[in-house]
Amino acid sequence: MRYSILLAAAVAMPVAGHAQQGDDAGAAMSYGQRPAYLVDKMADGPLKDELAACLGNTPERTAFSIGHRGAPLMFPEHTVQSNRAAARQGAGILECDVTFTADKQLVCRHAQNDLHTTTDILTTDLASKCTAGFTPAEGDTDATAECRTSDITLAEFRTLAPKMDAFDARATTPEEFQGGVAPWRTTLYADGAELMTHAESIELFDSLGADFTPELKSPSVEMPFDGYSQEDYAQALIDEYKAAGIDPSRVWPQSFDLNDVLYWIENEPEFGRQAVYLMDEYDTEGYDPNDPSTWPNTMAELKEMGVNYIAPPLWMLVTLNDAGEMVPNALAEAANEADLGIITWTLERSGPLANGGGWYFQSVADAIDSDADYLTLLDVLAQDVGVTGVFSDWPATVTFYANCKGL
């Protein structure tokens, strides 16, 4: 199955609390320099020729391009500015990772317990409320801290300043701990970045002409939390789209917890038919995406449960053939046989690929030696695996490819 989307027309409304940014649903989209840089690095051949011929095209928004936490290669993740950047790069779907505060309000954070690496909380008075305060590095022991959204109220959350997700493991002060940004990222666009609630993300994404893929994050606290059950949490996410009057066809709710997906399928079928099962089977001992006997569930079994979309990481969909070429693996083939839509994550998150690409490219590392391989893998995923969307930390790359290929 392949999804098709008629993207919503741009809606001219300011986002609550962010009206000073202005509405830019109609702002001109741009690929910027990076797609051309990647094409230039490609080896000569038909794919390079085809992509090079598209470099002068006018960018168009595409649902194939999904902003992963916005555009966090250069902007603080899950901020207004990060998502505006992703929309200007043509991302047709934007993501809010959803977690909750002490007063059970939904906010956009990649994890419930990441405030110490994604905000300035450790340098504020709210540091005293953190689950685990700052401990300086000493000898061979790294600096540590843990600050959760559930440690503070929504009002307190709003006082924090977001930053690039990073920390300095050798820090001896909370101020030093704020560093550690990878050299291939930047802090250039962090000043003045704004946090969002989930409800504010809905209003913002709608005003940008994009659709929605909220991810229900695994709680760091024991559930129920002060009487708030996992089912309450899953329902609250859907209720905020209902309250905003968003058509369910524009929403792809996600979770790594299959039970969340099944809850939506049973209790909110209009939203559940597009619920996305984020596959983390790689954490299962002995798991091999090329060996179905190691899978917790077959693709056919997932389909029988009512699941229509899966989202494994990049490496779980590809392998190398005898000639050393990237090709679909057994999981990809089984998903297509079961008529499951496939979404994947995360392009442009690995930094320079000269050394094999790390975790996201582990199944094809022997074929990865240049940043141009971002485009090579993307072509295999689109044309051979048949993915319907790709999360990216810099959506312009995926938008450019999808536009060129008419996806």
Side-chain angles (χ1 to χ4, degrees), residues 5 71 80 86 106 157 204 208 224 236 258 267 273 284 307 312 346 350 379 388:
I5 305 174
V80 172
L106 302 185
F157 174 82
L204 175 66
L208 294 170
L258 182 56
N267 295 280
R273 68 171 56 99
T284 304
V307 176
T346 302
S350 303
D379 189 58
T388 58

Side-chain angles (χ1 to χ4, degrees), residues 185-202:
R185 291 197 170 116
T186 181
T187 59
L188 189 62
Y189 303 108
D191 184 50
E194 300 162 275
L195 298 172
M196 298 185 296
T197 67
H198 177 233
E200 287 168 347
S201 80
I202 295 172

Side-chain angles (χ1 to χ4, degrees), residues 73 163-168 178-187:
L73 182 65
K163 69 181 191 69
M164 295 297 283
D165 184 13
F167 68 98
D168 184 347
Q178 306 299 293
V181 177
W184 40 269
R185 291 197 170 116
T186 181
T187 59

Side-chain angles (χ1 to χ4, degrees), residues 236-257:
L237 181 149
I238 299 300
D239 287 346
E240 294 202 337
Y241 289 94
K242 289 181 169 181
I246 300 299
D247 191 297
S249 67
R250 297 179 61 197
V251 184
W252 284 262
Q254 319 165 66
S255 180
F256 279 106
D257 187 340

